Amino acid sequence: MKRALVCGAGGFIAGHLVKRLKKEGFWVRGVDIKAHEYCTSAADEFLVLDLREPQSCLKALTLSGAKFDHVYQLAADMGGMGFIHTAETEIMHNSVLINVHMTHLAAELRIPRYFFSSSVCVYRDMQPGEPEMTEAQAVPANPDNEYGWEKLYSERMALAYERHSGMQVRIARFQNVYGPEGTWHGGREKAPAAMCRKVTEISDGGTIEVWGDGTAVRSYTYVEDMVDGVRRLMESDLHGAVNIGCPQYVTVNELVAAVSEVAKKKVKIKYIDGPVGVQSRNFSNERIYSLGWKPQFQLSDGVARTYPWVEAQVKANKTGK
Ligand code: NAD
């Protein structure tokens, strides 16, 4: 039986990754600074550890009498644009510490395969209509935010350890990921969960507030598709960073329209000032396509699965359940 360590398993994507690894027959240890807020972890063992501390990373990586076959490093101080633009020092401090210790100790312990979750925030801003950017075009670098710079540094560190140790490193640059069991309120939520929550809270014909003018272009990837990409990448020989994202690019207005259709509510939008982030995105998926990956969920399918979950959270929160 293969053994996997999943860091950040108390969070959204890693929580789903643990479920997938269990389905595939792995023995899984999950680690996070907190328990999962929305479900009981599917991991065989769950350790609450602060991975900014090297001794916690060592504890996470150590198995008595055996070794992990795979380490998935998804722990990060993480949130949507509002969080990314206000918590710059926390992100650069906390996430770098996690990655410095995890990468170094995993290489020292001769872990065979190490996965790092990066982001398309490593790329510069784009204008609508620009041709696709490939992974190599992340440099010369000009990320829009400090979160992107931290990811770029941590990618390079992981690749340096790969060159100087026997550890195989796999790096995915995720586009926006959404789905059930992700943060939906409190300031760290990302746009799809925030839009679902806002639409849940209004009656038919009501108004929601949206940062910016609604024209910013993004791609949203349903969490099961993303986890499938991670697993394919981890089993492959693809070196270097790999973009993973649904090729369906939509404006924020189109995201709201998708939510309003699922909710069966007419929604008016009030545009307000806020941290919108970059204007446009368009990335090549050729590398992940070469592994046979294809998203199974269009935005409408994914929202149809996400909205009812967020709606249930909002209702449970109101009734104090
Ligand atoms: P998340 O916030 O739900 O999960 C991250 C987890 O890391 C959280 O549970 C958090 O408690 C944990 N963590 C933070 N600090 C820790 C510490 N010191 N020790 C141990 N655990 C700690 O976020 P997510 O959306 O599931 O993101 C997972 C990974 O994917 C992150 O690395 C993130 O940067 C990356 N990513 C996510 C998206 C997205 O759209 N969600 C897009 C691009 C990249």
Side-chain angles (χ1 to χ4, degrees):
M1 187 189 258
K2 278 194 171 180
R3 299 174 185 84
L5 170 65
V6 179
C7 304
F12 169 46
I13 304 171
H16 284 271
L17 176 62
V18 169
K19 287 184 199 171
R20 168 73 184 251
L21 288 165
K22 284 305 304 164
K23 262 193 204 149
E24 290 187 40
F26 279 75
W27 184 90
V28 182
R29 172 185 285 168
V31 172
D32 203 291
I33 199 166
K34 58 158 180 68
H36 203 297
E37 277 169 73
Y38 308 118
C39 63
T40 308
S41 174
D44 296 279
E45 184 178 80
F46 191 96
L47 305 182
V48 175
L49 292 170
D50 183 347
L51 295 174
R52 291 171 298 183
E53 305 289 342
Q55 57 279 25
S56 298
C57 295
L58 190 59
K59 196 169 174 190
L61 285 159
T62 309
L63 274 175
S64 63
K67 199 152 79 172
F68 284 110
D69 301 283
H70 287 179
V71 170
Y72 295 86
Q73 196 328 67
L74 288 90
D77 212 347
M78 167 66 191
M81 271 304 143
F83 177 78
I84 282 176
H85 281 271
T86 52
E88 294 182 324
T89 53
E90 289 89 332
I91 290 167
M92 295 203 96
H93 178 263
N94 297 337
S95 297
V96 157
L97 283 181
I98 296 170
N99 288 317
V100 162
H101 298 314
M102 281 301 301
T103 317
H104 177 75
L105 289 166
E108 240 179 29
L109 292 171
R110 303 191 182 286
I111 296 294
R113 261 176 200 243
Y114 186 89
F115 172 83
F116 174 58
S117 54
S118 185
S119 161
V120 293
C121 280
V122 301
Y123 295 102
R124 64 167 170 81
D125 193 1
M126 297 178 76
Q127 290 310 307
E130 262 194 67
E132 286 180 347
M133 265 206 268
T134 63
E135 287 82 352
Q137 289 175 286
V139 282
N142 190 18
D144 164 70
N145 52 60
E146 305 312 325
Y147 171 77
W149 283 105
E150 188 281 322
K151 290 291 190 194
L152 205 52
Y153 171 75
S154 293
E155 279 189 12
R156 294 187 74 96
M157 181 174 47
L159 292 173
Y161 274 95
E162 181 175 55
R163 286 194 295 277
H164 294 277
S165 72
M167 183 166 82
Q168 288 284 309
V169 169
R170 297 290 175 267
I171 297 172
R173 290 181 183 156
F174 296 167
Q175 299 239 30
N176 285 285
V177 189
Y178 71 104
E181 297 173 1
T183 306
W184 59 276
H185 69 152
R188 286 183 185 241
E189 65 278 22
K190 304 196 86 185
M195 297 310 160
C196 288
R197 188 197 69 233
K198 288 175 187 210
V199 172
T200 291
E201 287 169 343
I202 56 162
S203 15
D204 190 15
T207 303
I208 66 165
E209 290 187 341
V210 166
W211 291 338
D213 63 5
T215 62
V217 173
R218 297 284 184 280
S219 127
Y220 300 99
T221 306
Y222 189 64
V223 64
E224 284 179 27
D225 281 333
M226 189 55 80
V227 164
D228 185 53
V230 171
R231 284 292 300 123
R232 284 174 191 261
L233 179 58
M234 197 59 161
E235 297 295 338
S236 79
D237 292 328
L238 268 193
H239 287 266
V242 176
N243 297 329
I244 309 181
C246 181
Q248 184 189 14
Y249 287 89
V250 296
T251 62
V252 175
N253 287 333
E254 286 166 332
L255 171 65
V256 174
V259 174
S260 95
E261 192 160 328
V262 169
K264 298 191 173 51
K265 287 181 188 176
K266 285 205 176 65
V267 177
K268 292 191 199 102
I269 301 177
K270 181 182 174 196
Y271 299 105
I272 59 165
D273 279 346
V276 176
V278 294
Q279 182 57 32
S280 193
R281 292 319 210 175
N282 188 20
F283 301 112
S284 164
N285 272 333
E286 289 312 312
R287 302 198 79 212
I288 193 70
Y289 288 162
S290 74
L291 302 180
W293 181 83
K294 233 183 119 185
Q296 303 300 310
F297 295 86
Q298 291 294 297
L299 186 63
S300 54
D301 309 322
V303 170
R305 290 174 169 225
T306 309
Y307 182 81
W309 182 84
V310 174
E311 190 179 36
Q313 303 308 304
V314 172
K315 279 187 187 152
N317 224 37
K318 273 189 188 150
T319 55
K321 277 182 198 159

